[in-house]
Amino acid sequence: MKFFSTPIKVLCASLFLGIAGCSSDTVEERSAFLEPNYAIHLPEGEGPFPTVLLFHGCGGLVGENGPKQIMDRYAKAANDVGYAAIVVDSFGPREISFDRAVRRVCSGLQLRGARRAGDVIASLAFAETQDFAKPDAFVLAGWSHGGWSVMEAMIMDLSDTWAPGLRAPSPKIYDQVHGVYLTYPYCGFPSRARKRGWAKPIPTQIIEAGQDVVAKEGPCHEAFDRMTESGVPVNLITFEEATHAFDEEDQVEGAVSVYNPDLTDQALKLFQDFLINTDA
């Protein structure tokens, strides 16, 4: 008798809480699960290169009209300043469609940031094994839900706690990261970043949108305060006229987000400047 149309591995990985019969992944198992969907963008020249890992928002990498451009655009910007870029697709391996992402991930019913933090840790572990990647020269970059996930990873003292669904990796994995870049990161319920400081004070730049009704200023500034209290050097930049996802042109009809090409260009330049200035 067939009870599930989706493999149990996918079902377990998709849920934000464990269910009976679901075991935790090792870092290597999670990375192998994600690896077929990694998109690796390399700059010109001889490596190894400093490397940035990009984590998309809750709408994923494929929208109503096909593949989205936002992560590829930032990956190219990274390549143009000599960085390799790995775009981490958290939805493809889990068979999460755009419609399902909007209904379930964006609403917090599925794949919350704490669980997706395991993708952050596992992808970083993968990057460390790649010949094209310069050791000890990694940047984590997240947008919206991806920013939430990166922040969840950074609040974990991996000596005694880890991402739900992921067995504890070595705390030394943070030693490879020399910068974090967050764009309109989600900080509302059930994000835990408002209550906990970061495990390591890694220089961080944050772009927030002044007209954001998703990643709201109140809870996000609480999270940013916890960061600074734990010693994180934070550079917060506010685009006063921007909405959430201002740099994503693939907006659905009726969305509260508005694409702004001028601010997108500014954001891409700030992203490049951050990468250049944090190159180890």
Side-chain angles (χ1 to χ4, degrees):
M1 182 178 295
K2 184 177 181 181
F3 292 98
F4 299 104
S5 59
T6 304
I8 190 69
K9 175 76 171 180
V10 174
L11 287 173
C12 292
S14 296
L15 298 174
F16 60 82
L17 294 174
I19 61 174
C22 289
S23 61
S24 296
D25 297 333
T26 64
V27 172
E28 293 77 16
E29 288 169 341
R30 178 70 65 86
S31 183
F33 176 68
L34 296 168
E35 185 174 355
N37 292 80
Y38 289 141
I40 298 174
H41 303 253
L42 299 180
E44 295 182 359
E46 295 291 329
F49 308 103
T51 301
V52 57
L53 288 81
L54 292 82
F55 298 89
H56 59 76
C58 73
L61 297 174
V62 179
E64 288 182 325
N65 300 313
K68 298 182 179 182
Q69 303 302 312
I70 179 171
M71 290 295 96
D72 287 346
R73 187 182 297 120
Y74 278 95
K76 182 181 183 305
N79 288 170
D80 287 346
V81 294
Y83 266 72
I86 303 175
V87 178
V88 180
D89 181 0
S90 289
F91 291 177
R94 295 178 169 93
E95 300 180 2
I96 298 175
S97 66
F98 176 69
D99 179 65
R100 186 175 183 181
V102 171
R103 289 185 294 105
R104 298 188 61 82
V105 180
C106 294
S107 65
L109 294 175
Q110 182 177 359
L111 195 63
R112 290 180 175 179
R115 175 164 287 272
R116 194 176 170 205
D119 290 10
V120 177
I121 295 166
S123 300
L124 179 58
F126 165 82
E128 291 175 350
T129 68
Q130 302 305 298
D131 292 339
F132 66 78
K134 181 180 177 182
D136 306 323
F138 294 96
V139 171
L140 303 177
W143 284 255
S144 191
H145 191 286
W148 173 16
S149 304
V150 170
M151 293 172 73
E152 290 278 352
M154 296 310 304
I155 65 174
M156 296 176 183
D157 175 2
L158 297 180
S159 62
D160 60 12
T161 186
W162 52 92
L166 189 76
R167 297 176 206 168
S170 168
K172 292 182 179 180
I173 197 166
Y174 290 130
D175 295 341
Q176 314 302 317
V177 181
H178 66 99
V180 174
Y181 189 91
L182 304 172
T183 306
Y184 42 78
Y186 179 76
C187 317
F189 177 82
S191 169
R192 301 176 296 176
R194 292 175 296 156
K195 305 299 182 183
R196 298 180 59 177
W198 283 23
K200 186 174 181 180
I202 297 172
T204 299
Q205 182 156 297
I206 304 169
I207 307 298
E208 69 172 358
Q211 306 303 313
D212 202 328
V213 297
V214 177
K216 297 181 180 179
E217 178 180 309
C220 280
H221 282 211
E222 287 184 52
F224 304 158
D225 287 345
R226 301 293 84 73
M227 292 165 62
T228 55
E229 289 167 4
S230 57
V232 177
V234 176
N235 181 28
L236 176 62
I237 299 171
T238 304
F239 286 1
E240 294 291 353
E241 302 304 316
T243 69
H244 195 76
F246 66 85
D247 50 353
E248 184 171 345
E249 59 188 325
D250 309 274
Q251 300 291 349
V252 298
E253 185 177 352
V256 296
S257 300
V258 178
Y259 174 61
N260 187 313
D262 293 334
L263 292 180
T264 297
D265 288 343
Q266 292 182 43
L268 288 165
K269 182 62 167 59
L270 288 169
F271 178 61
Q272 290 180 315
D273 289 345
F274 179 78
L275 296 180
I276 292 169
N277 293 328
T278 57
D279 185 4

